[in-house]
Amino acid sequence: MSKKSFRQAINEALRQEMQRDPRVILMGEDVAGGQGGSSGVKDAWGGVLGVTKGLFTEFGPDRVFDTPITEASYIGAAAGAAATGLRPVAELMFVDFIGSCLDQVMNQAAKFRYMFGGKATTPLVIRAMYGAGFNAAAQHSQALYPLFTHIPGLKVVIPSNPYEAKGLLIEAIRDNDPVIFLENKVMYDDEDEVPDEAYTIPFGEANLTREGDDVTIVAFGRMVNFANEAADRLEKDGISCTVIDPRTTSPLDTGTILDCVAETGRLVVVDESSPRCNLACDVAALVAEEAFDALKAPIRRVMPPHTPVPFATVLEKLYMPDSARIEAAVRSVMGYKAKQDA
Amino acid sequence: MAGTITPITMPKFGLAMTEGKIASWNVEPGSSVDVGEELADIETTKITNGYESPASGILRRQVASEGETLAVGALIGVLADKDVSDADIDAFVEKFQNEFSSQAAETGASESAEPVVVEVGDLKLKVQDSGHGDDTPVLFIHGFGGDLTNWMFNQDHFSGSRRTVAFDLPGHGGSSKNVGDGKPATFAATTAALLDKLDIAKAHVVAHSLGGAIALELAKSHPEKVASLSLVAPAGLGKDINMDFINGFISADRRKTLEPVLHYLVHDKSLITRNMIEGIIRFKRLDGAVAGLETVAKACFPDGHQADDLHGALENFTGPKQVIWGENDEVLSAASAKGLPASVKITLLPETGHMPQMEKSADVNAAVTQLIA
C-alpha cells in the first residue's frame, strides 16, 4: 500500500487485469503512441496523458494497439471483439468524441444482451476523459455521463479518487456488460492510498464520504471532493452533512440516497454536467417522488449554466460548480422557512 | 521566572499513527488536571483512545477544537499554572506553531518505519519490524480478520530495548491471501518460518484471539522459539465462539452492516471509528480476502464451535505464561479463563470487550511487561 496518483491507479488496474486475464486488450488513439517513429521509443505517449504508459512494452502489440483516428471503427471493433470473446478496454480519449461513434455504443454494444435474448455478453469497457477545468474548450470539456446513463444496457462509472478508480476499473473489466468509465482529466495527479493488490468495488453501491444529520449532499466524480471540502467547512459552523458518492450513475444506488434524505430531510445535488436532464434532475426527481414527506426544505441543485464550456479561464472557473457554491446551497436549505398559510 | 508551560501535543499511540482527531475534550479550559487524568479522546485510524495528561496544571488553552484532525506532534492544548500570563501563553503558542511547521516540513520524509514485505516460502507477509536492543524480541500475532495494526498501541511500548515484530497473517491485511487449510497449526508453521527468516531464535509471543491458538500451536511444535506466552482473549481454550461475529464479519460488505458486527469487539461501542470500519471493508475487497476468511472460519469453527482444544499445549508449555481477558468479551467468553492451571497468570479486565490490547492497552502492556521482565 502506498500513495498513488489517479493516473497510476488506473495504469495498475489495467496492468493487473491484463496479467490475470489474457483476454483483456487495450485499443485507442495513442494508447501506446509513437510506434513506427524513428526514435526507437515504443510507447512515447502511453495515452494522451500518459495513463497507459508501459503497457505496450509489457504486453506487446497483440494486446495494446493504436488505432486510426476513427472512433466509429475502433469502438465498433471493440464491441465486436467483446461479443466474440475478448475483454477490450477501448480508450475514447475525450468523451466528447462519442458523437462520432454513438451508434456503436447505443445501438450495438448496449443492445446485444437484450436483443439476443441474453445469449450474448459484451464485456467492453470504454474509458474516456470528461470534465471542465482543463482549459480544453467546448469540444473537450463536457461531462456527458447523463447521455450514457440515459441508455439502458450501459453501466456508467465515475470514480472520485485514486482508490475508487482502481477498484471500480477492475470491477468494470470483470463485468460482462458494456461499461462507460469516466475519468476526470484534472484529477490524474490527485494522490491517495491505493493497495498494491487487485480489488474490486461493486457497482450500484454508493459510498458515504461524510456522515451528518442536517443535509444530504449527492455529488458525482470530482464534485465529491468539492462537497467534502464544503462539508468540512460547514461542520465547523455546526452544520453536519452526509456526502454521497454514488460511484455509478447506472446502476444508481437509490436506496442509500433515500435513506440518507430520510435522516437529514434536506438535499443538495452537485453535478458538473449541463443542467437540463442531468443526474441532478434525476436524483431530485427520485427524492421528490419517493421521499417527499421527509423533506424539510426544497431540493437544491448545484450545476453549471446551460451553455457550452467556455474556453476563457475566468469564464470556465465561473462555469464550474465549486465548494463555495455547494456551501452556499447547503446554507440556503438550512435557512429555509416554509411560508405561512395565507 | 513564571511557572512552566507544558505543550499538549497530538500523541503518537503507535507506529502507524501519523495523525489523530480530537473526538472530545474531557477537560474544560481553566480546569486543573493531574498527571494521568484523561485530557481528551483521540480518534485514530483504529479505535478512539483516551489521552492521559503528561503533567499536572491548569488547561489554559484548547488550541485544537473537537472534530479537528492534526498531525502527530501538533499542538492541541497548553497546560500551565495560573501565574503564567495569557500573553506568555500566546507567545508560547505562536513560537511552537512556527517551529512545528518548519520541523514538520524537514522531517516529513523520514517518518517512522514502514512495514516491509518478507517472503516466507511462496507467501509474502507484511511485517512491521521495529526497535532493537539486546532483550529477547517480542512477536505479536493478531486474530481472525485482524492485521498488524491491531497492535498499534502495544508494539511501540516494547520497542525501546528490543526488536518487536508484528505481521499480517496469511489471508489478512497486506499479506498473501493464500491461507492453506486455514488451521492454527498451519499458521503456526508459517509463523515459525517467519521467525527463522527474520533470524529470531526465540521471542516472547503476545497473541490475540485466533492468534492465541496459533501461539499455542507454535509453543507445541516449536517450544524452543517461545520465551513466554501472553494470550489475549485466546481461542483454543473453550468450545464457544460467537458465530454472529464470525459470519457477520465475512458477509457484511457495507458500513451499515459491518458496524454492528464490529460492536461485538469492544465493550464501549463508541470506540469503533469510521476509519476502522472503512479499513476492514477495504481489506475485504482485496482479491481472495473473503475466500481466505471463509476457509479459516470453516477450518477453525466448523459447526459453530471451536475445533481445536489447546489446553494441553498451554499446560505443557514450561515458560512464563499468562492469559488476559476482557470480562465483557462478546466473541470468546472470559469464562474460558477459569480452571486453567495455577502456573498460568490470569488477568481479567473489567468493562473490557474482545480487544483488550486496544481498549485497555495500558493494562495489557503492563501485564506483558511484568511477565517478560
Side-chain angles (χ1 to χ4, degrees):
Chain A
M1 182 107 120
S2 54
K3 286 238 179 217
K4 288 169 195 151
S5 68
F6 199 91
R7 177 187 285 106
Q8 285 172 301
I10 291 183
N11 185 285
E12 199 167 270
L14 292 168
R15 172 175 282 114
Q16 288 177 341
E17 286 310 284
M18 290 182 80
Q19 286 166 348
R20 196 181 72 89
D21 186 344
R23 296 170 301 173
V24 178
I25 59 161
L26 301 190
M27 55 205 293
E29 292 157 7
D30 274 339
V31 288
Q35 292 173 80
S38 56
S39 68
V41 177
K42 290 265 200 298
D43 59 343
W45 294 104
V48 67
L49 291 180
V51 175
T52 47
K53 199 157 178 58
L55 300 178
F56 177 81
T57 41
E58 181 169 346
F59 299 101
D62 289 346
R63 296 184 63 195
V64 180
F65 39 95
D66 285 341
T67 63
I69 305 178
T70 159
E71 289 80 13
S73 70
Y74 79 81
I75 294 293
T84 51
L86 293 178
R87 305 186 81 86
V89 180
E91 185 181 306
L92 189 53
M93 199 180 292
F94 293 92
V95 74
D96 313 67
F97 302 165
I98 190 66
S100 304
C101 55
L102 188 57
D103 187 66
Q104 283 70 6
V105 177
M106 175 174 76
N107 279 325
Q108 307 305 328
K111 301 289 191 287
F112 288 163
R113 183 150 74 96
Y114 181 77
M115 295 194 73
F116 296 135
K119 290 179 182 164
T121 54
T122 312
L124 164 67
V125 178
I126 298 176
R127 290 180 45 239
M129 287 186 270
Y130 82 95
F134 203 66
N135 226 233
Q139 298 158 316
H140 299 81
S141 297
Q142 296 167 86
L144 295 174
Y145 43 83
L147 192 73
F148 301 103
T149 308
H150 186 69
I151 301 169
L154 298 180
K155 291 175 179 169
V156 185
V157 184
I158 317 174
S160 61
N161 64 45
Y163 172 82
E164 297 281 319
K166 182 176 173 183
L168 288 167
L169 183 54
I170 292 177
E171 178 81 6
I173 294 170
R174 295 180 189 177
D175 194 282
N176 278 337
D177 288 314
V179 178
I180 310 295
F181 189 90
L182 296 169
E183 301 160 20
N184 192 303
K185 59 178 85 69
V186 302
M187 286 170 59
Y188 281 123
D189 291 318
D190 287 6
E191 289 198 336
D192 196 4
E193 292 285 339
V194 178
D196 298 330
E197 302 104 310
Y199 60 94
T200 53
I201 299 175
F203 291 166
E205 257 188 30
N207 184 34
L208 304 188
T209 61
R210 298 287 185 278
E211 283 177 61
D213 304 321
D214 299 320
V215 180
T216 297
I217 307 175
V218 178
F220 298 90
R222 183 183 176 213
M223 296 297 120
V224 174
N225 301 319
F226 291 166
N228 288 338
E229 285 171 26
D232 291 345
R233 283 203 300 271
L234 289 156
E235 179 82 46
K236 289 188 178 141
D237 285 350
I239 300 173
S240 76
C241 300
T242 292
V243 177
I244 303 181
D245 170 8
R247 291 179 170 139
T248 55
T249 60
S250 192
L252 182 68
D253 185 354
T254 55
T256 295
I257 294 170
L258 292 171
D259 286 350
C260 292
V261 172
E263 284 168 18
T264 60
R266 299 179 185 89
L267 175 66
V268 169
V269 196
V270 192
D271 187 345
E272 73 164 293
S273 66
S274 290
R276 300 296 316 283
C277 303
N278 66 1
L279 262 297
C281 298
D282 195 46
V283 171
L286 167 83
V287 169
E289 194 164 344
E290 304 285 336
F292 186 78
D293 289 342
L295 289 173
K296 299 171 188 165
I299 297 162
R300 286 274 175 264
R301 295 175 293 153
V302 180
M303 305 177 291
H306 192 63
T307 165
V309 179
F311 173 62
T313 309
V314 284
L315 292 179
E316 189 182 34
K317 200 164 171 352
L318 205 61
Y319 172 92
M320 285 290 286
D322 59 18
S323 65
R325 286 172 58 189
I326 299 168
E327 188 180 332
V330 169
R331 289 187 190 281
S332 88
V333 298
M334 283 302 289
Y336 174 78
K337 293 267 184 322
K339 288 196 189 98
Q340 297 296 315
D341 287 345
Chain B
M1 188 193 142
T4 48
I5 300 177
T6 308
I8 305 296
T9 59
M10 180 59 71
K12 188 173 178 63
F13 287 137
L15 288 168
M17 183 167 167
T18 56
E19 59 178 32
K21 179 174 165 182
I22 314 283
S24 64
W25 276 102
N26 301 338
V27 176
E28 292 290 322
S31 310
S32 34
V33 287
D34 292 326
V35 182
E37 198 176 323
E38 281 198 4
L39 276 173
D41 282 332
I42 308 289
E43 192 175 312
T44 71
T45 51
K46 288 288 169 187
I47 70 172
T48 303
N49 212 22
Y51 179 21
E52 295 172 0
S53 182
S56 298
I58 296 168
L59 181 66
R60 297 287 297 269
R61 288 290 155 79
Q62 294 178 349
V63 177
S65 48
E66 292 186 354
E68 222 175 314
T69 300
L70 291 164
V72 165
L75 192 66
I76 61 174
V78 178
L79 216 61
D81 297 334
K82 62 173 180 292
D83 55 348
V84 178
S85 72
D86 279 335
D88 282 350
I89 289 182
D90 287 339
F92 178 84
V93 169
E94 193 184 338
K95 183 160 175 280
F96 188 100
Q97 300 293 38
N98 286 337
E99 284 172 4
F100 181 71
S101 53
S102 58
Q103 198 184 19
E106 276 167 35
T107 58
S110 62
E111 259 303 306
S112 65
E114 290 285 312
V116 293
V117 173
V118 176
E119 292 191 26
V120 175
D122 54 3
L123 296 171
K124 286 185 177 148
L125 301 181
K126 186 170 160 188
V127 176
Q128 179 80 57
D129 187 347
S130 49
H132 42 80
D134 296 334
D135 293 349
T136 307
V138 176
L139 173 74
F140 296 92
I141 310 176
H142 67 77
F144 177 83
D147 63 33
L148 63 85
T149 66
N150 289 170
W151 305 106
M152 69 181 288
F153 303 128
N154 318 103
Q155 189 174 0
D156 241 8
H157 189 84
F158 299 95
S159 298
S161 64
R162 64 182 86 234
R163 199 172 166 192
T164 64
V165 171
F167 70 108
D168 291 345
L169 286 165
H172 292 74
S175 290
S176 300
K177 297 299 173 284
N178 174 11
V179 298
D181 64 8
K183 292 195 158 113
T186 306
F187 287 126
T190 302
T191 306
L194 173 66
L195 288 174
D196 288 343
K197 187 85 185 206
L198 296 175
D199 277 326
I200 295 174
K202 195 170 199 176
H204 296 289
V205 177
V206 181
H208 173 238
S209 195
L210 187 63
I214 296 166
L216 287 166
E217 290 284 6
L218 183 70
K220 191 160 83 178
S221 60
H222 297 82
E224 76 287 353
K225 290 189 188 301
V226 181
S228 73
L229 277 177
S230 291
L231 306 175
V232 184
L237 300 180
K239 204 78 186 129
D240 292 339
I241 166 83
N242 180 348
M243 289 310 285
D244 288 342
F245 170 74
I246 300 293
N247 293 331
F249 191 90
I250 292 172
S251 65
D253 54 3
R254 306 193 70 161
R255 195 174 293 135
K256 241 185 177 165
T257 46
L258 185 59
E259 187 168 5
V261 175
L262 298 184
H263 281 175
Y264 287 124
L265 288 174
V266 285
H267 178 62
D268 177 357
K269 310 305 179 194
S270 69
L271 294 178
I272 301 292
T273 64
R274 263 183 75 85
N275 280 334
M276 180 179 186
I277 301 168
E278 181 65 20
I280 291 170
I281 290 174
R282 287 188 176 204
F283 153 67
K284 288 181 56 194
R285 284 186 188 131
L286 298 175
D287 277 6
V290 170
L293 291 175
E294 283 170 346
T295 303
V296 174
K298 253 181 224 144
C300 297
F301 320 118
D303 318 321
H305 290 97
Q306 297 191 53
D308 298 301
D309 182 349
L310 294 164
H311 280 94
L314 183 59
E315 265 167 54
N316 295 338
F317 179 71
T318 53
K321 48 196 171 185
Q322 66 175 335
V323 167
I324 302 164
W325 226 306
E327 284 180 358
N328 310 91
D329 193 321
E330 295 171 44
V331 177
L332 293 169
S333 168
S336 298
K338 284 186 195 134
L340 295 176
S343 56
V344 181
K345 188 188 153 211
I346 311 286
T347 303
L348 289 176
L349 298 170
E351 291 182 14
T352 308
H354 184 58
M355 300 201 76
Q357 79 272 35
M358 300 194 99
E359 211 170 347
K360 293 284 165 67
S361 55
D363 295 321
V364 171
N365 292 343
V368 173
T369 304
Q370 209 180 7
L371 191 80
I372 70 179

